[in-house]
Amino acid sequence: MDQELPAIFSPRLSLVSLSPACLAACLEGDAAEASRLLGVAIPPEFLAERWLLELRLGDLRADPSWQPWLLRAVVLRATGEMIGHIGFHTPPAPDYLDALAPGGIEMGYTIYPAHQRQGYATEAASALMAWAEQRGQRRFVLSISPGNEPSQRIARRLGFAKVGEQVDEIDGVEEVLVRDVGGAAQG
């Protein structure tokens, strides 16, 4: 099921959903087809993230209804260039968040080095959270390595607070940070 979803817009960015067909084309190394499907050029940095492409394509093949919540290209509106990606790991309220952030939704983001330190990650995260808030979501989660100071600063700027720690099998120790939006139940 390859569905066209509306982009999420912020002042400088478009957050464009990556369809199963686009992800599959990326994994097949067909950047031209992936770019055609997405409507913008796919950068080599994205093609190199095979583990993420495989993970999200598997998620979408298992349940296509997850697509609005998952991976989106971060596109600079002025140039039409893909400068990173953002998305939630699952739809809202997955079981794995019950202990530290019940009812929450976890997101992740990457802005490629040439575009870092320009406020794009903060802008993209704000836009994605606003979109989710319009759909009733009130609790947001980030898992960030204590040594990742740039992401820690972004989280503080967005109003996230540490609620605990976990050990990720790939990334090691991560701080779990939560931001509740008006009326969210405390866990």
Side-chain angles (χ1 to χ4, degrees):
M1 178 176 166
D2 189 17
Q3 54 181 311
E4 185 74 26
L5 294 173
I8 298 168
F9 297 102
S10 69
R12 300 179 295 168
L13 305 172
S14 298
L15 309 181
V16 182
S17 181
L18 289 146
S19 70
C22 181
L23 295 172
C26 288
L27 282 168
E28 293 164 6
D30 191 345
E33 176 63 5
S35 296
R36 185 191 69 74
L37 289 165
L38 185 60
V40 300
I42 302 285
E45 296 98 329
F46 187 65
L47 295 173
E49 294 184 78
R50 290 193 62 82
W51 69 271
L52 178 64
L53 298 169
E54 290 170 354
L55 177 66
R56 293 301 169 231
L57 181 57
D59 289 339
L60 291 172
R61 286 182 171 158
D63 191 340
S65 71
W66 284 26
Q67 187 175 344
W69 298 97
L70 296 186
L71 200 56
R72 290 176 179 264
V74 177
V75 178
L76 192 57
R77 290 171 64 182
T79 63
E81 179 182 7
M82 181 178 173
I83 62 169
H85 55 81
I86 191 167
F88 296 111
H89 298 333
T90 65
D95 292 344
Y96 80 91
L97 290 178
D98 282 349
L100 291 173
I105 188 168
E106 185 173 7
M107 73 175 164
Y109 49 82
T110 295
I111 299 296
Y112 299 130
H115 300 282
Q116 292 175 353
R117 302 192 55 83
Q118 298 176 54
Y120 294 131
T122 302
E123 184 174 332
S126 295
L128 188 63
M129 288 188 299
W131 175 87
E133 285 174 39
Q134 293 170 352
R135 284 146 187 82
Q137 186 57 37
R138 298 287 178 254
R139 177 169 284 163
F140 298 93
V141 179
L142 291 170
S143 299
I144 303 172
S145 165
N148 185 343
E149 189 51 40
S151 279
Q152 292 283 351
R153 277 194 305 272
I154 290 166
R156 286 191 298 271
R157 196 174 304 127
L158 291 170
F160 282 80
K162 181 179 172 182
V163 297
E165 289 187 350
Q166 65 186 14
V167 177
D168 181 89
E169 59 191 41
I170 296 171
D171 299 324
V173 175
E174 296 178 323
E175 293 181 352
V176 178
L177 303 111
V178 172
R179 175 183 170 203
D180 285 326
V181 178
Q186 296 296 322

